Amino acid sequence: MSKVAVVTRTHNRPLFLARVLKTVAEQTFQDYVHLIVNDAGSPEAVRAAVAQLPAAQQSRVCLLYTSDAADE
């Protein structure tokens, strides 16, 4: 089990998400899981941003998706 959870919320901001993913991946501390909460945004954009990471960092990412109740 990882010692640290990094939680990032995103909603249709792929450039900022890419920056966050890169910054977290560059940290020297490696005992973490990076939880990305996609707050009713485009799932394709989030998956594309994560796909740009090296495989070792991709394995640390966990994706969660929420839906906008107003859209249902």
Side-chain angles (χ1 to χ4, degrees):
M1 178 183 291
S2 299
K3 291 185 179 183
V4 173
V6 178
V7 180
T8 303
R9 179 191 156 275
T10 187
H11 177 81
N12 294 334
R13 302 298 296 259
L15 293 178
F16 288 125
L17 179 59
R19 271 193 225 160
V20 168
L21 289 167
K22 182 178 183 291
T23 299
V24 171
E26 290 174 345
Q27 300 302 308
T28 57
F29 184 80
Q30 293 295 305
D31 194 7
Y32 70 89
V33 61
H34 192 170
L35 179 61
I36 308 295
V37 180
N38 185 10
D39 194 6
S42 167
E44 295 81 20
V46 173
R47 286 191 288 266
V50 173
Q52 297 301 310
L53 292 171
Q57 272 70 38
Q58 285 184 31
S59 68
R60 298 179 186 278
V61 174
C62 180
L63 300 175
L64 289 177
Y65 299 92
T66 65
S67 63
D68 189 352
D71 290 341
E72 295 179 4

